[in-house]
Amino acid sequence: MTKLNRMILISVVALMGAAVTTSAMAASKQDCRTYAENAVFQSNTMQAQNRGCTGWRWHNWYDGHYRWCRNVSKDTAVAEYWVRQQTIANNGPC
């Protein structure tokens, strides 16, 4: 392997690693503030409709949602938001 080929290979591997790391990083503080606000709103919506939704997904504790969000990737937080949103839109089940 030539020196140029090694340099290209190292560069490609470094770029791939950076891309993977970026997508796996925890959501930002602002993203998690928004996430937690939405989670509490969604939980309160279900409680107002007496839908009986409980547990880790359906509590209205802002700090709990915020802390959870800070420990997962932004993609995971967005996916969780949409699970709750679809549950609300489809009238359950919780």
Side-chain angles (χ1 to χ4, degrees), residues 2-89:
T2 68
K3 185 175 179 179
L4 178 61
N5 286 344
R6 274 186 294 210
M7 289 176 61
I8 291 170
L9 179 61
I10 290 169
S11 297
V12 168
V13 169
L15 287 172
M16 290 173 62
V20 169
T21 302
T22 301
S23 66
M25 291 175 59
S28 72
K29 289 180 180 180
Q30 181 56 51
D31 289 336
C32 288
R33 283 190 285 268
T34 301
Y35 169 83
E37 290 168 1
N38 286 328
V40 169
F41 178 80
Q42 291 168 319
S43 176
N44 289 339
T45 298
M46 295 301 266
Q47 288 178 11
Q49 295 175 6
N50 295 317
R51 300 273 292 285
C53 298
T54 59
W56 63 269
R57 181 173 280 159
W58 296 105
H59 64 82
N60 59 5
W61 182 40
Y62 175 93
D63 288 342
H65 287 295
Y66 179 84
R67 289 181 189 153
W68 175 83
C69 178
R70 290 294 290 152
N71 288 298
V72 300
S73 70
K74 182 176 180 179
D75 291 344
T76 299
V78 169
E80 182 60 25
Y81 165 83
W82 282 110
V83 167
R84 282 193 306 272
Q85 199 61 28
Q86 289 298 313
T87 301
I88 292 168

